[in-house]
PDB file of all heavy atoms in Angstrom:
ATOM      1  N   CYS A 432       2.918  23.810   5.381  1.00 98.00           N
ATOM      2  CA  CYS A 432       3.028  23.420   6.787  1.00 98.00           C
ATOM      3  C   CYS A 432       2.095  24.258   7.644  1.00 98.00           C
ATOM      4  O   CYS A 432       1.852  25.419   7.327  1.00 98.00           O
ATOM      5  CB  CYS A 432       4.441  23.657   7.310  1.00 98.00           C
ATOM      6  SG  CYS A 432       5.761  22.913   6.347  1.00 98.00           S
ATOM      7  N   GLY A 433       1.643  23.693   8.743  1.00 98.00           N
ATOM      8  CA  GLY A 433       0.965  24.495   9.755  1.00 98.00           C
ATOM      9  C   GLY A 433       2.006  25.226  10.584  1.00 98.00           C
ATOM     10  O   GLY A 433       3.207  24.921  10.512  1.00 98.00           O
ATOM     11  N   ASP A 434       1.533  26.190  11.380  1.00 98.00           N
ATOM     12  CA  ASP A 434       2.499  26.905  12.223  1.00 98.00           C
ATOM     13  C   ASP A 434       3.030  26.001  13.336  1.00 98.00           C
ATOM     14  O   ASP A 434       4.083  26.267  13.911  1.00 98.00           O
ATOM     15  CB  ASP A 434       1.911  28.218  12.782  1.00 98.00           C
ATOM     16  CG  ASP A 434       0.513  28.065  13.364  1.00 98.00           C
ATOM     17  OD1 ASP A 434      -0.030  26.945  13.369  1.00 98.00           O
ATOM     18  OD2 ASP A 434      -0.041  29.092  13.830  1.00 98.00           O
ATOM     19  N   GLY A 435       2.314  24.904  13.621  1.00 98.00           N
ATOM     20  CA  GLY A 435       2.833  23.922  14.581  1.00 98.00           C
ATOM     21  C   GLY A 435       3.891  23.030  13.943  1.00 98.00           C
ATOM     22  O   GLY A 435       5.035  22.967  14.396  1.00 98.00           O
ATOM     23  N   GLY A 436       3.526  22.357  12.867  1.00 98.00           N
ATOM     24  CA  GLY A 436       4.423  21.392  12.233  1.00 98.00           C
ATOM     25  C   GLY A 436       5.675  22.027  11.648  1.00 98.00           C
ATOM     26  O   GLY A 436       6.763  21.438  11.712  1.00 98.00           O
ATOM     27  N   PHE A 437       5.550  23.238  11.117  1.00 98.00           N
ATOM     28  CA  PHE A 437       6.729  23.903  10.550  1.00 98.00           C
ATOM     29  C   PHE A 437       7.816  24.058  11.607  1.00 98.00           C
ATOM     30  O   PHE A 437       8.997  23.820  11.360  1.00 98.00           O
ATOM     31  CB  PHE A 437       6.337  25.272   9.975  1.00 98.00           C
ATOM     32  CG  PHE A 437       7.519  26.077   9.515  1.00 98.00           C
ATOM     33  CD1 PHE A 437       8.243  25.687   8.397  1.00 98.00           C
ATOM     34  CD2 PHE A 437       7.937  27.210  10.215  1.00 98.00           C
ATOM     35  CE1 PHE A 437       9.352  26.419   7.971  1.00 98.00           C
ATOM     36  CE2 PHE A 437       9.042  27.951   9.802  1.00 98.00           C
ATOM     37  CZ  PHE A 437       9.749  27.538   8.681  1.00 98.00           C
ATOM     38  N   MET A 438       7.377  24.433  12.818  1.00 98.00           N
ATOM     39  CA  MET A 438       8.361  24.704  13.877  1.00 98.00           C
ATOM     40  C   MET A 438       9.053  23.421  14.365  1.00 98.00           C
ATOM     41  O   MET A 438      10.031  23.495  15.092  1.00 98.00           O
ATOM     42  CB  MET A 438       7.680  25.422  15.049  1.00 98.00           C
ATOM     43  CG  MET A 438       7.250  26.839  14.733  1.00 98.00           C
ATOM     44  SD  MET A 438       8.602  27.893  14.194  1.00 98.00           S
ATOM     45  CE  MET A 438       9.441  28.161  15.753  1.00 98.00           C
ATOM     46  N   MET A 439       8.530  22.272  13.986  1.00 98.00           N
ATOM     47  CA  MET A 439       9.179  21.027  14.425  1.00 98.00           C
ATOM     48  C   MET A 439      10.461  20.737  13.656  1.00 98.00           C
ATOM     49  O   MET A 439      11.299  19.976  14.133  1.00 98.00           O
ATOM     50  CB  MET A 439       8.218  19.852  14.304  1.00 98.00           C
ATOM     51  CG  MET A 439       7.159  19.876  15.374  1.00 98.00           C
ATOM     52  SD  MET A 439       6.405  18.276  15.560  1.00 98.00           S
ATOM     53  CE  MET A 439       5.170  18.658  16.802  1.00 98.00           C
ATOM     54  N   ASN A 440      10.600  21.258  12.452  1.00 98.00           N
ATOM     55  CA  ASN A 440      11.866  21.069  11.732  1.00 98.00           C
ATOM     56  C   ASN A 440      12.265  22.321  10.963  1.00 98.00           C
ATOM     57  O   ASN A 440      12.947  22.252   9.944  1.00 98.00           O
ATOM     58  CB  ASN A 440      11.795  19.864  10.787  1.00 98.00           C
ATOM     59  CG  ASN A 440      12.237  18.581  11.485  1.00 98.00           C
ATOM     60  OD1 ASN A 440      13.219  18.586  12.232  1.00 98.00           O
ATOM     61  ND2 ASN A 440      11.527  17.500  11.260  1.00 98.00           N
ATOM     62  N   SER A 441      11.875  23.489  11.487  1.00 98.00           N
ATOM     63  CA  SER A 441      12.122  24.738  10.763  1.00 98.00           C
ATOM     64  C   SER A 441      13.614  25.036  10.649  1.00 98.00           C
ATOM     65  O   SER A 441      14.031  25.793   9.774  1.00 98.00           O
ATOM     66  CB  SER A 441      11.421  25.905  11.452  1.00 98.00           C
ATOM     67  OG  SER A 441      11.911  26.044  12.769  1.00 98.00           O
ATOM     68  N   GLN A 442      14.427  24.410  11.511  1.00 98.00           N
ATOM     69  CA  GLN A 442      15.880  24.636  11.417  1.00 98.00           C
ATOM     70  C   GLN A 442      16.433  24.220  10.065  1.00 98.00           C
ATOM     71  O   GLN A 442      17.511  24.652   9.668  1.00 98.00           O
ATOM     72  CB  GLN A 442      16.608  23.900  12.551  1.00 98.00           C
ATOM     73  CG  GLN A 442      16.750  22.386  12.386  1.00 98.00           C
ATOM     74  CD  GLN A 442      15.465  21.600  12.629  1.00 98.00           C
ATOM     75  OE1 GLN A 442      14.538  22.109  13.218  1.00 98.00           O
ATOM     76  NE2 GLN A 442      15.417  20.360  12.170  1.00 98.00           N
ATOM     77  N   GLU A 443      15.683  23.386   9.330  1.00 98.00           N
ATOM     78  CA  GLU A 443      16.173  22.937   8.016  1.00 98.00           C
ATOM     79  C   GLU A 443      16.065  24.032   6.949  1.00 98.00           C
ATOM     80  O   GLU A 443      16.499  23.832   5.810  1.00 98.00           O
ATOM     81  CB  GLU A 443      15.463  21.667   7.567  1.00 98.00           C
ATOM     82  CG  GLU A 443      15.638  20.498   8.525  1.00 98.00           C
ATOM     83  CD  GLU A 443      17.089  20.157   8.888  1.00 98.00           C
ATOM     84  OE1 GLU A 443      17.979  20.288   8.008  1.00 98.00           O
ATOM     85  OE2 GLU A 443      17.325  19.781  10.045  1.00 98.00           O
TER      86      GLU A 443
END
Side-chain angles (χ1 to χ4, degrees):
C432 307
D434 47 1
F437 174 69
M438 291 302 286
M439 286 199 183
N440 270 318
S441 60
Q442 76 285 343
E443 301 307 324

